[in-house]
């Protein structure tokens, strides 16, 4: 009724006629005071008020859940554009947007407006530009139904999802300023086109249930493929800026996009795992905690969307091409180790004052150890037979770049040893154990050299895991302990962090080697440890509360906590025990930190 009344009063044909401005006849008497003369000033003021009212009506009804309300909104816009398009030219933009937004509803009413007062192409262009600039804000602040309507408006402007995707990808490539909002819109577009995150099922214009999907599975899959190619390209996936916070936000956004693509396609996403899972595993192995956690969350979303019961199943089912990519990239590192060194040197000398984007010195070949580490951490023993050859690739690549790759590759070896340890604890046949321990023997050969040449403390963590793996195989454990002993002894006189880890390895060796190490520990280790404890006792007695956060304190605590059980396990002589007790006595003082006193009593 309201739209018909407005159309009657503001009809173009009436306002253009001269009669609309004629003075009422005097025969009307006092009634003439009630007659409104539709002068240009009156029309202008009325249009301004109607525009405010129409915008409010459109905002409240265009994304309404009930189909009849949306239908009435379409009919209102249709009628006013057809009858008052020239007089209500200020309102043409909002009215057209309401119609465009309804295009993707059921049986869309594609109105052919005869409005001649304003070029419709210009109106649509202005509306689209305005919508594009406000889209990130709308996606953050709107409810799910409003988000779906905004997406429908976008699709309506472009006609199909391909045109919209191409436009947004062009913006994504244009400038770093557009990259974040464009990625956000792309993710929301796929989510909305698949009908994800609509709070409650809406109704179509004809009253039937509406599930929210705006594109066919084929169109959606093609769209996802094109966006994934852009996201995971070398220039984008490994791109870094001088701002770590900006990097983290953009990485999280791309990872969120991959997760939402998997949720949109569900099992149809499985073929795309060949190109998308490896990059996600790279990020799961990142040192930045926020990025690695976001990648792990993405892996879980992918696993669930693709129908896998766990991350283990996801990794195992796709292990063949993952391991192939790892092997290829490790071989590249082995063939061109100088490239990695050059990248690191350039990264160290790059100007810190640059504010523009700079290309990351990270390369897929550098990321292979991270991917393998994540696979080992989240898989099971079924993966071990497949990685025997890759272990050799890892050791070969490490041999060529101890100084620059030790920490990264040692993380792989540590994960491998932990996986072997879990495997051996399972009830499997001795033949399979021997088969799986073959990679362990390769790692042990590396450790004998690595403990001496490699300054990375993580080598000691790997050595400790090797001891656990070989704990039931004394014929291999004791020769390993003999060969590693000189290097381990050297680490016990190294920096405090290395000494802390070396002592932990020593305690593990003592638990598993027993009498084999008694004489060595008595002659070469106890004097050093006793001397260190005696030297540090006055320092810790005088220190304040801050001292408990230092490496020196942590080393004292570790030695006091482990020395007693080590002496007991090795069945040391009374003379050795006396020397240990004498070194520990100062720590019974009430001036010592309380935890050192407690550790001394143990």
């Amino acid at each position: 009724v309201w739209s018909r009344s407005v159309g009657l009063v503001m009809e173009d044909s009436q306002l253009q006629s001269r009669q609309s401005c004629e003075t009422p006849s005097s025969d009307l008497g006092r009634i003439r005071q009630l007659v409104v003369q539709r002068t240009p000033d009156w029309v202008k003021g009325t249009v301004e008020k109607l525009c405010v009212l129409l915008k409010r009506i459109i905002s409240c009804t265009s994304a309404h859940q009930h189909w009849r309300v949306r239908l009435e909104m379409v009919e209102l816009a249709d009628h006013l554009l057809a009858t008052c398009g020239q007089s209500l030219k200020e309102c043409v933009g909002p009215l057209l947007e309401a119609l465009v937004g309804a295009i993707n509803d059921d049986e869309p009413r594609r109105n052919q407006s005869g409005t001649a007062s304003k070029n419709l192409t210009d109106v649509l262009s202005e509306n689209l530009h305005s919508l594009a600039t406000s889209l990130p804000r709308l996606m953050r602040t709107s409810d799910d139904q409003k988000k779906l309507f905004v997406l429908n408006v976008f699709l309506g402007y472009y006609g199909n999802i391909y045109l919209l995707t191409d436009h947004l990808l062009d913006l994504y490539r244009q400038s770093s300023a557009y990259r974040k909002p464009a990625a956000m819109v792309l993710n929301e577009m796929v989510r909305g086109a698949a009908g994800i995150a609509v709070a409650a099922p809406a109704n179509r214009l004809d009253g039937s249930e509406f599930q929210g999907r705006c594109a066919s599975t084929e169109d959606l899959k093609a769209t996802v493929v094109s966006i994934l190619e852009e996201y995971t390209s070398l220039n984008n996936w490994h791109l870094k800026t001088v701002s770590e916070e900006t990097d983290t936000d953009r990485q999280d956004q791309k990872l969120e996009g991959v997760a939402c693509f998997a949720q949109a396609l569900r099992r149809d996403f499985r073929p795309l795992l060949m190109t998308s899972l490896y990059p996600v595993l790279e990020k799961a192995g990142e040192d930045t905690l926020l990025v690695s956690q976001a990648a792990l969350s993405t892996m879980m979303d992918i696993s669930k969307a693709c129908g896998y019961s766990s991350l283990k199943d996801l990794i195992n089912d796709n292990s063949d091409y993952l391991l192939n990519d790892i092997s290829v990239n490790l071989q590249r590192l082995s063939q061109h180790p100088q490239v990695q060194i050059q990248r690191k040197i350039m990264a160290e000398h790059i100007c810190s004052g640059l504010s523009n984007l700079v290309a990351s010195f990270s390369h897929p070949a550098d990321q292979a150890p991270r991917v393998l580490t994540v696979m080992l951490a989240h898989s099971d023993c079924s993966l071990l037979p497949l990685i025997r050859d890759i272990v050799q690739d890892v050791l070969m690549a490490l041999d060529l770049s101890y100084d620059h790759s030790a920490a990264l590759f040692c993380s792989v070896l540590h994960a491998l040893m932990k996986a072997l340890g879990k495997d051996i604890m399972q009830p499997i046949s001795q033949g399979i154990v021997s088969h799986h321990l073959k990679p362990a023997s390769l790692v042990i050969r590396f450790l004998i050299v690595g403990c001496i040449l490699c300054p990375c403390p993580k080598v000691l963590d790997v050595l400790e895991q090797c001891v656990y793996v070989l704990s039931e195989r004394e014929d291999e454990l004791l020769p390993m302990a003999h060969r590693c002993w000189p290097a381990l002894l050297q680490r016990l006189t190294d920096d405090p962090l290395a000494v802390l880890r070396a002592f932990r390895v020593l305690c593990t060796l003592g638990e598993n080697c027993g009498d084999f190490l008694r004489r060595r520990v008595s002659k070469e280790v106890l004097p050093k440890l006793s001397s260190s404890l005696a030297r540090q006792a006055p320092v810790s007695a005088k220190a304040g509360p801050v001292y408990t956060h230092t490496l020196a304190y942590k080393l004292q605590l570790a030695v006091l906590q482990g020395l007693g059980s080590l002496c007991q396990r090795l069945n040391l002589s009374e003379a050795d025990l006396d020397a240990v007790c004498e070194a520990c006595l100062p720590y019974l003082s009430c001036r010592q930190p309380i935890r050192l006193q407690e550790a001394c009593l143990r």
Side-chain angles (χ1 to χ4, degrees):
V1 174
W2 184 83
S3 63
R4 299 295 172 182
S5 301
V6 173
L8 179 63
V9 175
M10 305 298 294
E11 187 176 7
D12 291 339
S13 58
Q14 290 194 37
L15 294 178
Q16 291 170 1
S17 69
R18 294 182 179 179
Q19 294 180 356
S20 63
C21 298
E22 290 181 355
T23 304
S25 173
S26 58
D27 297 338
L28 295 176
R30 296 182 64 182
I31 297 178
R32 62 184 293 184
Q33 297 178 5
L34 301 176
V35 177
V36 175
Q37 293 186 17
R38 290 177 287 182
T39 63
D41 290 338
W42 177 88
V43 171
K44 182 179 178 181
T46 303
V47 168
E48 290 177 354
K49 296 174 183 176
L50 284 174
C51 274
V52 174
L53 188 57
L54 276 172
K55 288 178 181 178
R56 291 183 180 178
I57 293 173
I58 291 170
S59 65
C60 294
T61 58
S62 55
H64 199 278
Q65 293 187 1
H66 201 285
W67 67 273
R68 289 188 182 277
V69 176
R70 301 200 307 275
L71 177 58
E72 288 297 329
M73 180 66 253
V74 170
E75 292 179 350
L76 178 148
D78 182 22
H79 178 69
L80 293 183
L81 283 172
T83 58
C84 316
Q86 186 171 356
S87 58
L88 294 179
K89 57 185 178 181
E90 309 278 332
C91 307
V92 169
L95 291 171
L96 278 175
E97 185 170 301
L99 289 177
V100 172
I103 286 177
N104 288 288
D105 219 319
D106 191 52
E107 297 183 4
R109 294 169 177 254
R110 303 175 186 272
N111 298 293
Q112 300 297 326
S113 174
T115 305
S117 62
K118 196 169 185 181
N119 189 311
L120 292 183
T121 302
D122 293 339
V123 173
L124 290 172
S125 177
E126 291 174 9
N127 284 2
L128 178 57
H129 182 269
S130 175
L131 182 61
T133 55
S134 62
L135 193 58
R137 175 182 56 80
L138 292 173
M139 288 301 173
R140 288 194 305 270
T141 60
S142 303
D143 58 21
D144 292 330
Q145 196 68 28
K146 179 66 174 178
K147 288 179 182 178
L148 183 60
F149 171 74
V150 172
L151 175 64
N152 285 339
V153 172
F154 251 121
L155 291 174
Y157 278 131
Y158 278 89
N160 60 56
I161 197 171
Y162 294 114
L163 292 175
L164 179 56
T165 302
D166 289 343
H167 175 71
L168 291 171
L169 286 177
D170 286 342
L171 289 175
Y172 187 87
R173 300 183 190 105
Q174 272 183 25
S175 166
S176 60
Y178 297 149
R179 192 167 286 119
K180 184 176 180 179
M184 181 180 180
V185 175
L186 285 167
N187 296 347
E188 292 293 339
M189 180 194 71
V190 172
R191 184 180 282 115
I196 299 174
V198 177
N203 292 324
R204 299 179 186 268
L205 289 177
D206 61 358
S208 61
E209 190 176 85
F210 178 60
Q211 298 299 330
R213 181 175 285 274
C214 301
S216 66
T217 302
E218 292 75 17
D219 290 345
L220 198 59
K221 189 171 183 178
T223 300
V224 165
V225 168
S226 63
I227 301 174
L228 266 179
E229 288 177 353
E230 186 67 29
Y231 277 9
T232 59
S233 65
L234 181 61
N235 290 336
N236 284 321
W237 197 253
H238 298 284
L239 189 68
K240 291 187 182 294
T241 69
V242 294
S243 170
E244 184 176 349
E245 182 178 354
T246 302
D247 289 341
T248 301
D249 288 344
R250 288 177 178 167
Q251 295 295 352
D252 288 353
Q253 205 168 47
K254 286 180 280 193
L255 289 166
E256 180 187 348
V258 177
C260 115
F261 302 158
Q263 292 165 347
L265 293 177
R266 304 195 67 77
R267 286 183 176 268
D268 290 330
F269 191 76
R270 283 196 176 194
L272 302 182
L273 291 174
M274 293 185 65
T275 56
S276 61
L277 186 56
Y278 188 95
V280 174
L281 264 63
E282 286 181 347
K283 298 304 175 185
E286 283 274 357
D287 294 330
T288 305
L289 182 60
L290 290 177
V291 174
S292 61
Q293 287 181 337
L296 187 59
S297 177
T298 298
M299 289 169 60
M300 293 177 179
D301 290 338
I302 292 174
S303 176
K304 183 178 179 181
C306 293
Y308 294 107
S309 59
S310 64
L311 291 182
K312 177 190 71 175
D313 292 339
L314 171 68
I315 291 173
N316 288 349
D317 194 52
N318 298 279
S319 60
D320 49 355
Y321 53 84
L322 287 173
L323 292 174
N324 179 68
D325 287 345
I326 291 171
S327 180
V328 170
N329 286 325
L330 286 174
Q331 289 172 14
R332 287 174 182 167
L333 275 181
S334 300
Q335 293 166 4
H336 306 287
Q338 69 280 1
V339 175
Q340 184 189 29
I341 297 172
Q342 290 168 0
R343 282 199 296 269
K344 287 184 176 291
I345 293 173
M346 290 173 65
E348 291 171 359
H349 291 85
I350 194 165
C351 178
S352 59
L354 290 176
S355 58
N356 59 313
L357 289 174
V358 294
S360 167
F361 295 98
S362 176
H363 188 273
D366 303 342
Q367 302 298 318
R370 301 186 192 274
V371 177
L372 184 55
T373 301
V374 174
M375 290 181 68
L376 289 167
H378 296 283
S379 186
D380 59 8
C381 61
S382 62
L383 188 66
L384 295 177
L386 305 176
I387 64 172
R388 292 178 60 198
D389 294 337
I390 290 183
V391 172
Q392 296 185 10
D393 294 334
V394 168
L395 297 178
M396 184 179 298
L398 183 56
D399 281 339
L400 296 172
S401 54
Y402 271 114
D403 294 338
H404 299 276
S405 305
L408 189 59
F409 282 100
C410 283
S411 297
V412 178
L413 299 178
H414 189 251
L416 172 62
M417 291 297 102
K418 289 181 72 173
L420 286 169
K422 288 189 293 185
D423 181 24
I424 292 173
M425 295 301 292
Q426 296 177 2
I428 54 179
S429 68
Q430 182 67 25
I432 298 179
V433 172
S434 299
H435 176 73
H436 286 178
L437 283 175
K438 203 162 187 178
S441 62
L442 294 173
V443 175
I444 290 166
R445 294 193 193 108
F446 150 74
L447 289 170
I448 296 168
V449 179
C451 281
I452 301 172
L453 298 181
C454 181
C456 176
K458 287 188 177 181
V459 173
L460 297 168
D461 295 337
V462 183
L463 179 58
E464 184 180 11
Q465 286 297 323
C466 284
V467 176
Y468 285 126
V469 170
L470 299 178
S471 59
E472 301 298 325
R473 300 174 65 85
E474 191 175 87
D475 56 334
E476 295 187 30
L477 175 62
L478 299 184
M480 183 207 79
H482 173 72
R483 291 195 295 269
C484 288
W485 182 259
L488 182 62
L489 195 63
Q490 182 179 341
R491 287 304 182 89
L492 284 170
T493 59
D494 210 332
D495 64 275
L497 180 60
V499 173
L500 186 61
R501 296 189 181 189
F503 181 74
R504 194 170 62 193
V505 175
L506 177 64
C507 292
T508 305
L509 280 171
E511 291 175 5
N512 292 277
C513 297
D515 296 342
F516 180 75
L517 293 180
R518 182 189 300 125
R519 183 167 179 174
R520 300 177 189 231
V521 171
S522 174
K523 292 184 64 176
E524 301 175 272
V525 176
L526 279 184
K528 294 179 181 179
L529 293 179
S530 299
S531 174
S532 175
L533 286 174
R535 187 170 57 252
Q536 285 297 119
V539 177
S540 57
K542 297 177 183 178
V546 180
Y547 182 73
T548 58
H549 299 284
T550 64
L551 270 178
Y553 168 81
K554 293 176 182 178
L555 179 58
Q556 284 174 287
L557 183 62
V559 172
L560 288 171
Q561 288 175 336
L563 198 54
S565 59
L566 179 65
C567 292
Q568 185 179 13
R569 184 67 182 86
L570 297 181
N571 195 20
L572 294 177
S573 65
E574 290 187 9
D576 292 330
L577 296 177
D578 288 341
V580 171
C581 290
E582 185 176 350
C584 293
L585 277 176
Y587 292 92
L588 293 175
S589 170
C590 61
R591 295 181 180 179
Q592 295 286 350
I594 187 66
R595 292 194 65 191
L596 294 184
Q597 297 178 46
E598 294 172 351
C600 178
L601 289 173
R602 292 176 58 185

